[in-house]
Amino acid sequence: MGEKRGQTEKLVYDFPTQLSTEIGYEDGTWSRVTCKQFRSYNGPRRILKFNKEGEGVYIEYNGPVYYYDSNKKIKDLTKKGYAYLHDITPKPQLRPGENHFLNDEKVRKQLGK
């Protein structure tokens, strides 16, 4: 169904997609993300691999950063966070019955209200 949105080519993954992928935030916390998010995050990234003894080892990943949902590499690496094509950040939308979330200031900021 991606053809309707113009996504006719397969996304390129320069890392093993079966492994756990994590991104690092400025406050030092790490979060597990999908491979699609991992490839388009401009910031610290790491992959969890297992050695011969079965112990988990984090390996820092310094591969290319792609725009979200495309195979175009970003050129300006100064902007941190997710890289969106044409600098259009998708805004979350509330479904009917979720207006109580507007009481939270963090949610209001994300929605632009």
Side-chain angles (χ1 to χ4, degrees):
M1 298 296 285
E3 298 86 14
K4 294 181 181 180
R5 295 186 303 265
Q7 300 165 338
T8 56
E9 65 181 286
K10 208 171 178 181
L11 295 178
V12 174
Y13 293 100
D14 298 330
F15 54 91
T17 57
Q18 73 274 15
L19 299 177
S20 174
T21 54
E22 297 183 357
I23 59 172
Y25 295 104
E26 292 179 4
D27 62 355
T29 60
W30 289 86
S31 176
R32 182 182 278 180
V33 293
T34 63
C35 293
K36 188 186 274 191
Q37 293 170 323
F38 182 79
R39 68 190 290 275
S40 62
Y41 184 76
N42 187 16
R45 300 180 288 173
R46 67 183 184 184
I47 297 176
L48 176 64
K49 291 189 176 184
F50 292 96
N51 59 15
K52 293 179 183 177
E53 291 81 33
E55 300 170 347
V57 178
Y58 287 105
I59 298 174
E60 186 176 340
Y61 181 74
N62 293 320
V65 179
Y66 295 94
Y67 286 111
Y68 194 82
D69 252 354
S70 78
N71 284 332
K72 296 181 182 176
K73 295 179 184 178
I74 66 169
K75 296 174 184 150
D76 182 21
L77 294 174
T78 58
K79 184 180 175 189
K80 298 298 179 192
Y82 290 107
Y84 294 103
L85 202 58
H86 309 297
D87 285 332
I88 298 174
T89 305
K91 299 279 183 181
Q93 296 179 352
L94 294 178
R95 296 178 292 206
E98 292 182 339
N99 288 332
H100 62 280
F101 288 118
L102 292 176
N103 296 335
D104 187 3
E105 178 150 348
K106 195 182 235 183
V107 175
R108 276 199 315 265
K109 183 179 178 186
Q110 286 180 340
L111 293 171
K113 295 184 180 187

